[in-house]
Structure formats: C-alpha cells, structure tokens
Amino acid sequence: MPMVAELAEWLKEKRGKEVDLTTYRLERSLDAQKGVGIPAAGGVFYGERWREAFSGMADGVLVDEPGIEPAALAADVQFVRARRKDAWFSLPAPHMLGFRDAYIGDEEEFSETIANGYARLAREMRDIGVPGHILVADRADAIELEVLAGKKILFFPRNPGTLDLELLLDYQGDLILPAKDLGRAADLMERFRVRKLILLDAEVKDLAAAAAFTDPDMLVAGGYCEDGCPDYWSNLVDRAFIAR
C-alpha cells in the first residue's frame, strides 16, 4: 500500500485517465517483475476487483440471480496491456473471496455457480488479449478445479506443504513446488502426467538438480512475493539458468 505522497505523485502522471488504488497496485506489481519471462499483474489484492464484478451479491452474499459485470476488469486489461502485452493476471481462487449463499440453497451448486462466473470473467479478459490467469489457492477444491483448471488458468498453491497436491495434479499439468521441496518432485512426476515443473525461489544448484531427472524444457523458475519485492524478481531472474 502506498504512502499518500507517493500516490499523489503517481496520480500526476495519470492525469486525464481513470485510475484508482487497484490500478496503482497492478502497475507496481508489474513493474517489480522487470525481466520476468511470464509476468503476472495483480495478486491476492486483485480479488476485490473480482468481488465487485459479480452481480446479485450484497456484501459478499448471493441474494439474487447471479451474473457478471466485467467492465472494470476490461479497463484493467487495457491498462496492463499498454505496459506488457504478455502479462497474465493473478488473483485469489474462488474459495478465497469468502462468498456466501442466500439464494441457491445448495452448497455444491453455489460453488459451481461462482466457479462458472470466474470462467466467464476470465474468458472476457482473454477475449481482449490476456494470455491467462493465475489463481492463488489456499486449498485444492475439486469443483473449482473441474470448472477452471486448464492451460490458460493455473492454480498456484500458496502453501504447497498443506495443499493437496495430488488432487491438484488430477486436474492440472503444472507441478509448483518450493525449491526446498524438490525431493517430492520425482515421486509426484512418476504418478501424475506433469507438463511443467515450476520451482519457486530456485537457486542455480536446485535447477541443476532438477535437470538431472527431468527434461530441462519442462523446468520453469517461478516466484511469489507478497511484500518488499523491489529486488526479489531481478534476483530470481539472475539465478534462472541451468549450470552445465
């Protein structure tokens, strides 16, 4: 979150444009990822924008016929694509928005309705140029995975140590692990059809160790930074190579 003086200076640069605090945070999240091959604008904070894009809600409770209102998301796409056309968007998975039901009356049907709303909003954004979405998840939810998981929507386990990776890999071909947990990779890759192994916060030695048992073309160096990120991504990029 910016200080008032910092935000005021930023607003001077945006004179004549319609922007808000979420726009500011999208820009800062993207600027921090300079040099990253596949950047993702947003983060958990971007869930607030998606909450507002669901109609039929009152304070996070579904009280009427559900629908979507994607206009604000479309404006965010235009803003981000003006800076990086290849940028994905990152946001919380549906279960992290805290929506509740007072209209449908069936828990599974409600979860599926919200997931379908996510799918429609993601499609609206992809139709105007977004390559894909990363959904930060605290748990593996079978309904969400069934509706949403695919090449253009990637579920990111915020804590792979507690999230059910086996359930996640039933639906998703990308295995995301902290480099410190690389020892789990070989077994999971033997039991599931893994398309990519994404190592978080990997050092050069970690990527070399992974390349010893998997095709280097399957390896991706990834990261997740919640706070104090100015140098995080540049340092990650500097380490993202396989020593021969």
Side-chain angles (χ1 to χ4, degrees):
M1 296 294 289
M3 302 295 288
V4 172
E6 181 183 356
L7 189 59
E9 192 64 30
W10 179 80
L11 285 170
K12 289 180 184 178
E13 303 169 4
K14 301 296 185 283
R15 190 167 287 127
K17 299 179 181 178
E18 187 173 338
V19 296
D20 59 14
L21 185 56
T22 297
T23 316
Y24 171 89
R25 299 182 75 184
L26 281 172
E27 182 176 280
R28 287 296 184 260
S29 72
L30 195 58
D31 287 350
Q33 296 174 62
K34 185 177 180 180
V36 173
I38 304 176
V44 172
F45 74 86
Y46 196 55
E48 190 57 39
R49 186 80 96 205
W50 276 55
R51 283 175 61 89
E52 295 167 357
F54 279 82
S55 59
M57 295 281 184
D59 296 324
V61 180
L62 183 66
V63 295
D64 204 344
E65 188 69 24
I68 59 167
E69 298 173 353
L73 303 183
D76 291 337
V77 173
Q78 300 297 342
F79 180 85
V80 167
R81 278 179 55 78
R83 303 185 70 82
R84 286 286 299 265
K85 285 185 168 55
D86 57 350
W88 288 42
F89 272 74
S90 173
L91 66 146
H95 63 265
M96 292 178 62
L97 292 191
F99 284 149
R100 291 175 291 124
D101 177 37
Y103 179 77
I104 294 176
D106 181 271
E107 185 176 344
E108 289 190 2
E109 186 179 346
F110 173 67
S111 295
E112 188 173 349
T113 296
I114 299 302
N116 282 324
Y118 256 66
R120 291 170 60 198
L121 288 169
R123 195 176 305 114
E124 291 276 350
M125 295 177 77
R126 290 200 304 270
D127 285 347
I128 52 177
V130 174
H133 292 80
I134 296 171
L135 303 186
V136 181
D138 281 337
R139 57 182 170 86
D141 182 283
I143 292 175
E144 294 177 5
L145 291 166
E146 177 72 34
V147 173
L148 294 167
K151 290 184 178 180
K152 295 181 179 180
I153 296 182
L154 175 69
F155 280 81
F156 180 93
R158 186 153 63 163
N159 187 346
T162 59
L163 188 139
D164 186 347
L165 289 178
E166 286 83 359
L167 177 58
L168 181 60
L169 290 173
D170 278 337
Y171 296 90
Q172 176 170 294
D174 291 0
L175 171 59
I176 301 171
L177 281 175
K180 63 182 179 59
D181 294 335
L182 180 59
R184 301 177 63 189
D187 174 63
L188 289 168
M189 293 176 74
E190 184 176 332
R191 293 191 287 125
F192 296 92
R193 184 173 294 179
V194 173
R195 184 176 65 247
K196 288 181 184 177
L197 171 59
I198 301 173
L199 286 183
L200 306 178
D201 300 323
E203 302 288 342
V204 175
K205 61 181 177 61
D206 300 314
L207 294 170
F213 65 84
T214 190
D215 187 335
D217 290 341
M218 295 174 58
L219 278 175
V220 177
Y224 179 66
C225 184
E226 292 183 315
D227 189 32
C229 304
D231 298 322
Y232 173 85
W233 293 103
S234 59
N235 291 335
L236 190 68
V237 170
D238 289 342
R239 304 194 305 266
F241 65 91
I242 299 173
R244 299 293 184 181

